[in-house]
Amino acid sequence: MSIAKTYNPREVEDKWYQYWLENKFFSSTPDEREPYTIVIPPPNVTGVLHMGHMLNNTIQDVLIRRARMQGKNACWVPGTDHASIATEAKVVAMLKEKGIDKKEIGREKFLEYAWEWKEKYGGIILEQLKKLGASCDWDRTRFTMDADLSEAVIDTFIHLHNKGLVYRGVRMVNWDPQGKTAVSDEEVIYKEVNSKLYYVRYKVTGIPDLGVETKDSILNSQDYITVATTRPETILGDTGVCVHPEDERYKHLIGKKAIIPYVNREVPIIADEYIDPEFGTGCLKVTPAHDINDYNIGLKHNLEVIDTIADDGTMAPVAQFYVGMDRFACRKQIAIDLERDGFLVKVEEIKNKNGYSERTNAIIEPKLSMQWFVKMEAMAEPALNYVENGDVRLIPDKFKNTYRHWMENVKDWCISRQLWWGQQIPAWYDDKGNYVVAKTKEEALERFKIQNSKLSIEDIKQDEDVLDTWFSSWLWPMSVFDPSVCGKVGAKGNADVNYYYPTSDLVTAPEILFFWVARMIMAGHEFRGEAPFKNVYLTGIVRDKQGRKMSKSLGNSPDPIELIEKYGADGVRVGMLLSSPAGNDLLFDESYCEQGRNFANKIWNAFRLVKGWEVKTGTGNNQMAINWFDTRFNEAIIEIEELYKQYRLSEALMAIYKLVWDDFCAWYLEMIKPPYGEAIDSETYEASIQFFEKILALLHPIMPFITEELWHEIKPREAKDCIIIAKYPSTGIPNKNLLSEFETISELITQIRNIRNTKQISPKQGLPLAIKTTNDSLYVNYLSILKKLANIEDILFTQSAKDGALTFIVNADEFFVDLGENIDKAAELDRMTKELEYTIGFMKSVKAKLSNERFVANAKPEVVESERKKLADAETKIGMLKASIAALN
RNA sequence: GGGAGCAUAGCUCAGCUGGUUCAGAGCAUCUGCCUUACAAGCAGAGGGUCACAGGUUCGAAUCCUGUUGCUCCCACCA
């Protein structure tokens, strides 16, 4: 035979992907069909494919291919995200290697480098997706910084500003001193660390001067108040000391002043319920500029704000001391100095949490700064409603709780970033610091001129900052179709957006449920009055076998492309799907891909078998097998459809897997397989080809490559007759009778095979079978199958037990296999006695149940009925077992 | 600190409104097979007090309470 013994994915994958592209099978334009739309969660433009993408995009491709085969107008829109912080950090690093400093070359030049970088590496991840088989409409590929998408972002900003939802203000933000930008709360990762808690004394005023202070006099003095802090370097920015109003230890000090060491600033001692008297000394030093809680206390008590730490994390001039020293170096130094000067009482080791920047891993500095914000409260309400009333379905729905919690406790969204890579904020400042929001500089000038006619265009300057990346990606489901609808309420929009929006399914990770999914719902509601998608499938996190998140730094993430080369794209896709119910983290192990590869090989070999047959015209005697598989297929597809409907993809795959491997290969093909060298009748052959095609169609969304290859190998086809657009198998009504009959037969065959195995009888040796039954015709009908699969050479119907034969029972029928001499009476007796005991126990429990009046009275009639049947069956079985045991003795 | 969720074979997971067709699947394991589609395979088999303790019920893996262990989210006690 010329067909290779194993399936070789390399030879077919690129070929078919090209073929699909050339024939435009992925592309979609609006028409009269029902649309089925997915927008890709845009990966970072400079990113490379990781396992999370593999899982995510495999799922999307399964959904989109299935929809396409079901006759829907399937459209999967691909694209990338400009990912401002991540990309800018990469470009900065790249420039640094070349010895170039971002600040020196300036914004314009930097952006040139950045675009160059984007052009060079921007396409990589999308090319990798093609290897996976992703059937995206590549003509629709979008980038969040495409000119028209950027314009959409600007229009949106202006719209929200005009509506009063965007505002500018000084707020405490998470400052990343390395990236020198504010980051959102979601981009801060808290980690527990070992820290030191420093106890520091501040002198209290209003106490008579004791003259010259020495170290001893300070330590022994009662005129000091001791605060506890993990951040002594912020002492220089302290503007208050706070105690609990009910704290007896300090009540007498409230209203007095404390003096901050070194800077000798007098600050008020205030009282606030916020203070936990149990922690430290019960006295909090208040540094409004560098701690969010201190900031809030400061606001409440009108404390001064002194920002002692500069943008790069060093001590600022206002600190007066340690200026220019890094905040952590300063912490060490000031501790030494405080000790020396007698201010430091003691140091304790404690565990606390530090915030780290997700992008740069720098320790976040809470810092006051002027930023742009979006008011979230009003937008959150409708966004919550969509999910609450089911217009947007979260899968699995346990995420509803988390979603609700977030939406009910939403805080304003800081959208400005001190970066260059991104959409620059359309706010313009005059020489006095007044600002207007306008789309262009010219427009801004017009607006300024209303107030100040002398202003010229040279006098106004645009805001230096860019917008948070999510401020562009929250528009994604609209902007990929028609960017012009963003920023305009009630815009009609083009044909695309009207046809494809709202999209069908969104597949993404639960981590970004809030800062992406929720915000897309808000934006969709704002501009289209409709949520952007109907179902949100939340995938798990891909972890390694030990449950650790896969990451570059741990080196525990396999290279997806290498995996594809090793196991084939289909194998890897199966591997990804096999173990990942929605929302569950998936402990990835290459062996899943191996299982996928083996499955592909199994299908390949089933094809080799069928294709290798010589066909002779006529009919055979395989009608039973054909009818059975037909009905089994119908039964399976109902189950599979139900699983898909519930988005239980791994279970749907497993159902298909078993249908193919067990039912089709192990049972059906074995039943119809002609003896070696003999031809198969054309009737059986045709039926088998049709089954094969249906199976391939069912498999295609999951394993696109091998199915397309076999689709064409199995018979000659027209150029456009491809499985990718073939009709998805429809459901039929299964024949319950036939299925249960076959179950009996397969159980019988398994029992006989079991006898062979335990008695070490070669499959080549035919066995005689005697049956005690009231239903002879059942076994007569399946005679040829029994002969073939169990190698029964003779069937004899009998009314009495057969002496000296091995006995077993299936349903209510008794079977005897007479092996002549070699029967182990003791073992048989033992086996049957055990079965008898079990059955008697079983019968007793059923009897007890049935004799319980409350059971009979309360249980549903069908339950009682089934219990009665169980009892009858058990009684018959006991009778048979007893007879067999008696016969053995 | 607040909230959510989980705990079922060695591993990963199914078990919907309680009822021995409910104790399951796949992988792994064991035994026997190189049987001309496939050893990436075939045939068969063995694995579980359903975390623990109570309770409700005629009946609990399934419902309730508590305990223990784990995970995630939110808050961020200086």
Side-chain angles (χ1 to χ4, degrees):
Chain A
M1 187 183 295
S2 60
I3 311 168
K5 210 170 166 181
T6 49
Y7 168 60
N8 186 351
R10 285 172 194 235
E11 284 170 16
V12 309
E13 291 180 356
D14 287 347
K15 174 181 78 183
W16 287 114
Y17 201 85
Q18 270 320 109
Y19 195 83
W20 293 329
L21 281 178
E22 281 159 20
N23 285 280
K24 298 261 170 214
F25 288 136
F26 301 161
S27 60
S28 167
T29 46
D31 59 23
E32 69 293 338
R33 285 176 299 167
E34 181 191 344
Y36 177 87
T37 317
I38 298 180
V39 292
I40 203 170
N44 288 0
V45 67
T46 60
V48 289
L49 207 61
H50 62 241
M51 297 309 291
H53 295 125
M54 293 289 277
L55 173 64
N56 185 265
N57 288 290
T58 297
I59 292 166
Q60 291 176 73
D61 199 42
V62 170
L63 296 176
I64 205 92
R65 283 180 185 269
R66 194 162 159 275
R68 192 180 288 124
M69 290 175 78
Q70 286 172 327
K72 294 176 189 160
N73 188 345
C75 183
W76 184 9
V77 184
T80 49
D81 190 295
H82 66 278
S84 55
I85 300 182
T87 306
E88 182 149 331
K90 279 187 186 173
V91 176
V92 167
M94 179 271 288
L95 291 175
K96 201 175 172 188
E97 263 178 38
K98 290 185 181 175
I100 302 171
D101 182 78
K102 169 185 160 183
K103 284 250 160 64
E104 278 168 22
I105 56 173
R107 183 172 205 129
E108 225 169 282
K109 192 78 190 151
F110 176 84
L111 287 176
E112 265 175 43
Y113 277 115
W115 277 105
E116 202 179 286
W117 171 276
K118 182 256 169 190
E119 293 309 321
K120 197 165 166 193
Y121 299 103
I124 291 179
I125 196 159
L126 300 182
E127 288 309 309
Q128 289 179 314
L129 283 179
K130 294 178 181 173
K131 294 274 177 221
L132 182 66
S135 58
C136 304
D137 184 353
W138 297 108
D139 299 333
R140 293 182 177 272
T141 304
R142 287 303 213 154
F143 175 50
T144 51
M145 266 172 74
D146 282 342
D148 47 351
L149 270 76
S150 282
E151 192 182 345
V153 169
I154 299 306
D155 288 342
T156 299
F157 180 94
I158 294 170
H159 164 81
L160 294 177
H161 180 263
N162 292 344
K163 208 174 164 180
L165 290 174
V166 159
Y167 65 91
R168 190 166 178 255
V170 174
R171 290 289 184 282
M172 185 64 77
V173 296
N174 305 297
W175 184 260
D176 174 348
Q178 195 170 317
K180 295 198 185 71
T181 178
V183 295
S184 67
D185 291 344
E186 289 79 9
E187 290 164 316
V188 179
I189 302 157
Y190 288 92
K191 296 182 208 166
E192 191 158 277
V193 292
N194 292 316
S195 297
K196 290 189 167 74
L197 185 63
Y198 300 85
Y199 288 72
V200 184
R201 291 183 178 211
Y202 294 174
K203 192 171 191 299
V204 179
T205 59
I207 309 290
D209 195 348
L210 295 174
V212 180
E213 283 181 358
T214 64
K215 187 175 174 179
D216 278 352
S217 74
I218 291 170
L219 279 175
N220 297 327
S221 169
Q222 298 302 302
D223 311 328
Y224 285 78
I225 187 165
T226 306
V227 299
T229 179
T230 53
R231 302 200 56 196
E233 73 277 13
T234 62
I235 282 173
L236 306 174
D238 283 0
T239 55
V241 171
C242 191
V243 298
H244 194 276
E246 302 306 321
D247 195 330
E248 293 301 331
R249 293 171 296 178
Y250 305 115
K251 261 188 169 168
H252 66 288
L253 294 176
I254 296 168
K256 291 206 159 64
K257 305 261 181 187
I259 297 176
I260 306 302
Y262 305 126
V263 288
N264 292 324
R265 183 185 309 121
E266 274 193 13
V267 301
I269 296 171
I270 54 173
D272 197 288
E273 308 260 328
Y274 166 80
I275 301 300
D276 171 9
E278 302 296 312
F279 187 89
T281 58
C283 295
L284 172 72
K285 67 184 225 29
V286 186
T287 322
H290 293 287
D291 184 285
I292 180 68
N293 298 304
D294 291 17
Y295 176 69
N296 290 331
I297 292 172
L299 275 185
K300 200 163 149 191
H301 299 273
N302 274 320
L303 297 181
E304 198 185 343
V305 177
I306 302 173
D307 186 356
T308 53
I309 298 178
D311 289 356
D312 60 358
T314 62
M315 302 308 289
V318 280
Q320 300 175 49
F321 297 85
Y322 312 103
V323 173
M325 191 184 276
D326 181 78
R327 54 193 167 142
F328 299 112
C330 175
R331 182 179 304 172
K332 282 187 186 148
Q333 189 56 48
I334 199 168
I336 293 166
D337 296 347
L338 287 168
E339 163 91 61
R340 180 196 62 209
D341 299 327
F343 292 107
L344 189 65
V345 179
K346 61 174 177 176
V347 179
E348 268 175 14
E349 299 285 335
I350 61 157
K351 277 195 195 315
N352 73 339
K353 280 179 178 175
N354 272 345
Y356 291 81
S357 166
E358 190 185 22
R359 304 295 182 187
T360 64
N361 207 34
I363 294 181
I364 291 297
E365 184 65 48
K367 195 170 154 56
L368 273 183
S369 61
M370 181 67 91
Q371 303 286 348
W372 292 92
F373 294 85
V374 181
K375 278 189 194 157
M376 296 304 266
E377 223 180 322
M379 300 187 97
E381 201 191 320
L384 175 59
N385 287 340
Y386 283 111
V387 171
E388 289 283 29
N389 66 22
D391 287 346
V392 172
R393 185 175 151 211
L394 302 183
I395 299 144
D397 61 6
K398 66 176 176 186
F399 286 107
K400 234 176 156 171
N401 291 331
T402 356
Y403 182 86
R404 182 186 311 112
H405 184 261
W406 192 75
M407 296 309 258
E408 284 172 351
N409 297 282
V410 69
K411 287 188 291 182
D412 286 356
W413 174 18
C414 172
I415 51 169
S416 41
R417 294 291 181 276
Q418 290 63 50
L419 301 166
W420 289 341
W421 179 244
Q423 288 91 10
Q424 196 171 354
I425 292 174
W428 310 82
Y429 302 88
D430 67 12
D431 44 1
K432 295 187 186 67
N434 302 311
Y435 74 88
V436 297
V437 166
K439 202 161 177 177
T440 63
K441 203 173 191 177
E442 289 70 28
E443 231 175 87
L445 182 64
E446 293 302 309
R447 302 270 291 281
F448 275 125
K449 277 193 166 162
I450 300 170
Q451 300 289 325
N452 176 0
S453 54
K454 278 182 248 158
L455 213 64
S456 78
I457 198 122
E458 286 78 36
D459 298 327
I460 60 177
K461 253 179 57 194
Q462 186 170 4
D463 196 300
E464 285 286 315
D465 294 351
V466 299
L467 290 158
D468 180 13
T469 300
W470 300 105
F471 195 84
S472 65
S473 42
W474 73 331
L475 306 173
W476 188 245
M478 294 176 283
S479 63
V480 294
F481 296 115
D482 184 358
S484 76
V485 300
C486 303
K488 295 172 203 87
V489 173
K492 243 185 106 202
N494 65 13
D496 273 4
V497 76
N498 285 305
Y499 181 72
Y500 294 115
Y501 188 96
T503 68
S504 310
D505 296 340
L506 177 81
V507 181
T508 191
E511 297 126 88
I512 55 174
L513 181 58
F514 311 131
F515 51 133
W516 192 44
V517 178
R519 285 174 188 156
M520 279 192 285
I521 298 175
M522 293 177 191
H525 175 77
E526 178 72 18
F527 298 123
R528 294 266 94 192
E530 249 182 317
F533 28 71
K534 297 178 199 84
N535 303 292
V536 181
Y537 180 111
L538 297 152
T539 64
I541 295 166
V542 183
R543 298 175 181 278
D544 69 7
K545 242 184 152 177
Q546 284 118 53
R548 297 174 307 178
K549 203 169 168 173
M550 285 196 169
S551 72
K552 253 192 214 160
S553 52
L554 275 173
N556 58 351
S557 176
D559 176 356
I561 299 303
E562 278 172 25
L563 279 181
I564 289 174
E565 275 165 15
K566 198 163 161 194
Y567 300 104
D570 292 331
V572 176
R573 290 165 67 110
V574 168
M576 297 311 305
L577 288 173
L578 265 179
S579 65
S580 81
N584 276 21
D585 283 2
L586 110 100
L587 302 184
F588 182 79
D589 183 351
E590 263 192 52
S591 67
Y592 290 120
C593 294
E594 201 179 326
Q595 194 181 347
R597 179 202 61 182
N598 294 355
F599 185 40
N601 201 46
K602 184 71 188 177
I603 299 161
W604 179 258
N605 275 291
F607 160 73
R608 278 181 70 213
L609 175 68
V610 173
K611 197 63 192 170
W613 284 329
E614 189 190 327
V615 185
K616 60 168 189 240
T617 8
T619 55
N621 59 347
N622 291 318
Q623 207 50 51
M624 285 317 268
I626 293 170
N627 290 346
W628 169 73
F629 188 77
D630 185 57
T631 209
R632 171 67 196 118
F633 186 90
N634 285 335
E635 182 188 47
I637 197 164
I638 288 171
E639 182 197 352
I640 291 160
E641 286 310 288
E642 186 53 36
L643 291 168
Y644 269 123
K645 210 180 279 169
Q646 297 172 37
Y647 291 82
R648 301 171 80 148
L649 302 194
S650 58
E651 284 174 65
L653 166 57
M654 191 43 69
I656 299 172
Y657 182 92
K658 286 192 275 192
L659 176 71
V660 174
W661 201 305
D662 299 341
D663 298 321
F664 188 67
C665 294
W667 288 106
Y668 175 76
L669 289 179
E670 290 301 330
M671 287 191 279
I672 62 153
K673 191 162 141 186
Y676 179 65
E678 286 181 31
I680 195 162
D681 65 276
S682 56
E683 184 193 45
T684 305
Y685 183 78
E686 285 308 323
S688 304
I689 293 294
Q690 277 178 32
F691 290 151
F692 213 119
E693 288 186 346
K694 282 167 90 170
I695 281 172
L696 289 177
L698 208 54
L699 277 166
H700 177 78
I702 295 164
M703 306 176 84
F705 294 109
I706 188 173
T707 50
E708 190 71 87
E709 172 73 7
L710 294 181
W711 183 257
H712 294 270
E713 286 294 327
I714 212 154
K715 68 181 189 198
R717 295 180 190 270
E718 303 281 313
K720 291 244 178 186
D721 180 6
C722 288
I723 198 166
I724 186 175
I725 51 161
K727 195 171 164 292
Y728 199 74
S730 50
T731 52
I733 298 153
N735 177 341
K736 286 248 166 69
N737 240 358
L738 186 51
L739 288 166
S740 88
E741 266 182 31
F742 189 81
E743 211 152 293
T744 306
I745 298 300
S746 62
E747 169 70 18
L748 169 56
I749 291 168
T750 302
Q751 289 278 10
I752 294 167
R753 285 170 172 173
N754 189 10
I755 288 175
R756 278 186 198 284
N757 255 297
T758 49
K759 301 293 171 199
Q760 309 262 29
I761 302 165
S762 156
K764 283 173 185 153
Q765 187 189 330
L767 293 176
L769 178 69
I771 310 175
K772 183 166 171 263
T773 178
T774 52
N775 186 9
D776 295 14
S777 61
L778 171 65
Y779 301 100
V780 173
N781 286 342
Y782 287 90
L783 190 57
S784 67
I785 288 170
L786 285 171
K787 284 189 166 180
K788 203 166 190 174
L789 299 194
N791 198 6
I792 294 303
E793 55 185 17
D794 239 348
I795 287 195
L796 179 83
F797 292 99
T798 172
Q799 288 312 311
S800 53
K802 273 200 101 191
D803 283 354
L806 293 172
T807 310
F808 60 90
I809 296 163
V810 176
N811 291 343
D813 296 340
E814 207 167 359
F815 300 84
F816 309 95
V817 177
D818 193 351
L819 297 174
E821 70 289 357
N822 48 358
I823 174 168
D824 181 347
K825 277 199 171 187
E828 283 302 295
L829 211 53
D830 186 52
R831 183 179 63 82
M832 280 192 275
T833 311
K834 274 188 182 144
E835 198 171 350
L836 181 63
E837 276 167 16
Y838 174 83
T839 315
I840 289 172
F842 173 68
M843 181 189 70
K844 276 184 182 160
S845 78
V846 179
K847 254 188 180 163
K849 203 182 282 185
L850 282 169
S851 57
N852 182 334
E853 277 173 37
R854 300 179 70 171
F855 169 72
V856 181
N858 297 333
K860 279 177 266 173
E862 56 268 32
V863 173
V864 177
E865 194 42 51
S866 95
E867 291 300 308
R868 291 221 167 93
K869 188 172 181 309
K870 279 177 203 163
L871 180 62
D873 288 352
E875 279 170 343
T876 324
K877 196 169 176 185
I878 287 166
M880 287 192 281
L881 282 167
K882 279 184 173 162
S884 300
I885 289 169
L888 267 177
N889 283 323

